[in-house]
Amino acid sequence: MHIMLNGSDWRLMGHWPYTPLMGRSMETGGELMGATEWIDATVPGSVQADLMRAGIIEDPYYADNSLRCEWVEHRWWRYQKRFAAPEGVRMERVTLEFMGVDYAAHFFFNGHRLGWHEGMFDPVRFDVAALLQPENRLDVVLESVPAENSQIGYTSESRTQKARFGYKWDFGTRLVNLGLWEDVRLNCTGPYRLDDVFLRSDVDDAGRGLVRVSGRVDGLMGRSDAVLSLTLEGADAL
């Protein structure tokens, strides 16, 4: 069962680097203020799109507005969402999944640090079964964008998993994206989980169609009583 956490009920705040990881001020004990106030945010989406909707930046695709938006990529950005867990959601496995995070981020769930991830194309997954409450708070802190080549640069020196087009290309201005650009969801399952499924189709010498399926089943450690079944056009295959 998937519980989608997408929507326009997220919040977003800009910060100076490292500030959102430091808790409270050592001098005053008060909450460290952000580089912006909290604004409404939409996921999937981008920081720049949310800032434009809030009137903090102007349309970067008009005239030379993009030059006045380049400060965005040098801040850290904190996404936050509060949500209630539906009744009966307490399954044996509850995985918090981010299908696209751009780019490097720290993840927190109900005040607990889940971990850190870098790379905009790899899904991020955390086991949150022990942390899930009737009312929950999710925080994602995005770091500033990494240094990367634009169109004029050396591909051999690229070391990131981030699209280079936003760093300036011949068909577009410089606008380096930050944000949760794909689905965010809770995946609730029983004791087993099928993941990394990949299908390959082929035809043998006799003209018969072949489908090869590979994947990973989590939760099988020490178990010998699990059976995996596939159904293809009504025919069962073990």
Side-chain angles (χ1 to χ4, degrees):
M1 175 176 62
H2 285 154
I3 299 173
M4 303 304 295
L5 300 180
N6 298 344
S8 56
D9 56 347
W10 289 72
R11 301 199 301 167
L12 179 70
M13 177 183 279
H15 290 272
W16 304 103
Y18 297 100
T19 302
L21 304 182
M22 297 178 66
R24 294 185 172 274
S25 168
M26 291 186 294
E27 291 85 0
T28 68
E31 182 180 357
L32 293 169
M33 302 305 294
T36 72
E37 299 294 331
W38 284 110
I39 64 172
D40 294 335
T42 299
V43 174
S46 73
V47 169
Q48 285 89 341
D50 292 325
L51 292 174
M52 189 170 70
R53 281 191 290 266
I56 296 176
I57 63 173
E58 297 183 71
D59 185 351
Y61 294 106
Y62 179 77
D64 61 352
N65 285 346
S66 64
L67 299 177
R68 290 185 283 273
C69 297
E70 291 187 10
W71 64 272
V72 175
E73 66 192 67
H74 300 293
R75 303 294 184 266
W76 286 31
W77 296 93
R78 178 183 176 189
Y79 280 91
Q80 186 180 96
K81 181 184 176 75
R82 296 178 184 271
F83 67 95
E87 290 289 336
V89 74
R90 288 192 172 277
M91 308 285 285
E92 294 187 47
R93 286 174 173 264
V94 180
T95 307
L96 178 61
E97 301 181 340
F98 299 83
M99 305 312 293
V101 178
D102 193 4
Y103 174 71
H106 305 257
F107 302 86
F108 302 85
F109 192 72
N110 289 333
H112 296 268
R113 188 177 189 278
L114 299 177
W116 179 84
H117 176 81
E118 177 181 3
M120 65 178 292
F121 300 112
D122 293 331
V124 191
R125 297 184 176 94
F126 300 102
D127 182 359
V128 296
L131 301 175
L132 191 66
Q133 303 293 329
E135 299 292 332
N136 301 276
R137 193 185 82 187
L138 172 60
D139 291 270
V140 182
V141 178
L142 297 175
E143 297 181 6
S144 307
V145 303
E148 186 51 275
N149 292 296
S150 61
Q151 183 182 23
I152 308 301
Y154 293 90
T155 300
S156 60
E157 295 184 3
S158 292
R159 297 293 184 269
T160 72
Q161 291 184 348
K162 181 165 177 61
R164 289 171 54 187
F165 302 102
Y167 288 80
K168 178 67 180 79
W169 222 261
D170 55 6
F171 54 75
T173 186
R174 181 183 176 94
L175 191 66
V176 187
N177 185 70
L178 285 158
L180 304 178
W181 67 276
E182 263 283 19
D183 291 338
V184 179
R185 65 194 186 193
L186 287 175
N187 187 14
C188 309
T189 69
Y192 308 117
R193 172 187 168 91
L194 184 62
D195 204 355
D196 292 336
V197 178
F198 184 67
L199 280 76
R200 296 179 297 278
S201 60
D202 202 350
V203 178
D204 65 13
D205 294 338
R208 293 173 300 183
L210 302 175
V211 177
R212 295 182 174 89
V213 182
S214 62
R216 185 183 77 249
V217 181
D218 293 334
L220 288 180
M221 186 69 68
R223 302 292 295 270
S224 60
D225 57 347
V227 177
L228 177 64
S229 297
L230 300 177
T231 300
L232 302 175
E233 296 182 354
D236 290 334
L238 293 180

